[in-house]
Amino acid sequence: MVRTPSTMLDLGTVAPPFALPDTVSGETITLDHFSSKKALLVIFLCAHCPFVKHVQEELAKLGQDYVEQGLGIVAISANDISTHPADAPDHLKQMALDLGFNFPVCYDETQAVAKAYTAACTPDFFLFDGDRQLVYRGQLDDSRPGNDKPVNGKDLRAAIEQTLAGTPVPPEQKPSIGCNIKWTPGQEPEYFKN
C-alpha cells in the first residue's frame, strides 16, 4: 500500500466522458446518464482498501442524503484485478449491495477513465457542477484510519451543498489520501510516483 494523495486536477476541468459497466445492473453508465442532474460526484474507490472501508458507510449516506436534491453519483474502481482480485467486479457488486449504494459502481478495466480524471488514490473524489466543470477535488473529511477523527464527510458535503445552491466552492481544498490505484504493471500514468 502506498499512501497517496489526490493529484488535485485543475478546477474548471470539464468532466471526461466515460462508458463503463455497472457491476450491479450490468448496464453501461455514461456521463449522459446524469444530464438532468444539477451536479455530479465521481468517486474512485475499490473493495479492499482500508481507507475506503473506513468511509464506506458515509459514502452510502451521501447517496441517500442527496439523491432527491439533484446530485448524480457514480463510483468507479480501476484497480488491476490480476494483482488485486479482491477488487474484481463481483466483489464490487457485493460491496454495493451490502452497503445499499443507490448509485452505480462501475469497473474501469482498461484504467483509461481513471487516467483521464488523474485519479490517484482510493477514495478520490471529483465534484462537477451543472456545466460539468470541476468545482471540488479533495478529501471527504479529516478522518483517516486510526486518527480518531469522526467520519462526517464535512468537506465534501460543504462543497456539494454549495454546488447545489449555485454558490462558488472555495478553491482552498485538501487532497484526499488513500491507497494508490493499483495500476497494471508497466501502465502507470506519469503522475504516479511510488
Side-chain angles (χ1 to χ4, degrees):
M1 175 180 83
V2 179
R3 189 178 168 98
T4 302
S6 302
T7 59
M8 305 304 275
L9 183 63
D10 289 342
L11 294 172
T13 297
V14 175
F18 57 84
L20 296 171
D22 177 10
T23 60
V24 176
S25 70
E27 181 182 5
T28 298
I29 304 298
T30 69
L31 267 184
D32 291 341
H33 277 73
F34 306 98
S35 58
S36 65
K37 301 295 185 182
K38 294 182 194 172
L40 174 63
L41 175 62
V42 179
I43 306 169
F44 286 86
L45 50 63
C46 66
H48 89 277
C49 171
F51 288 87
V52 174
K53 288 180 180 288
H54 182 67
V55 301
Q56 63 189 10
E57 291 179 8
E58 177 64 17
L59 301 182
K61 283 177 62 180
L62 283 173
Q64 294 155 8
D65 291 350
Y66 293 107
V67 67
E68 299 296 330
Q69 297 182 45
L71 176 68
I73 301 177
V74 59
I76 299 171
S77 178
N79 280 1
D80 180 355
I81 62 171
S82 68
T83 57
H84 290 78
D87 295 325
D90 57 331
H91 293 284
L92 298 170
K93 176 180 180 177
Q94 195 60 53
M95 173 190 185
L97 295 173
D98 289 348
L99 291 164
F101 285 170
N102 62 358
F103 48 83
V105 178
C106 298
Y107 178 52
D108 178 17
E109 183 175 11
T110 68
Q111 304 183 322
V113 176
K115 289 176 181 178
Y117 280 77
T118 68
C121 56
T122 55
D124 212 349
F125 303 95
F126 299 84
L127 178 66
F128 298 90
D129 64 13
D131 295 325
R132 296 302 175 258
Q133 293 186 330
L134 186 65
V135 294
Y136 182 83
R137 72 291 189 246
Q139 66 178 12
L140 180 71
D141 54 36
D142 292 321
S143 186
R144 305 285 185 267
N147 75 359
D148 296 325
K149 294 186 178 179
V151 179
N152 55 23
K154 69 178 180 64
D155 294 54
L156 181 55
R157 283 176 177 270
I160 290 168
E161 293 187 13
Q162 288 159 338
T163 303
L164 292 175
T167 57
V169 179
E172 300 78 29
Q173 301 169 7
K174 296 179 185 175
S176 185
I177 300 282
C179 300
N180 63 291
I181 288 178
K182 306 306 187 243
W183 303 105
T184 300
Q187 300 298 314
E188 300 87 349
E190 288 182 10
Y191 60 81
F192 175 66
K193 301 169 181 61
N194 59 4

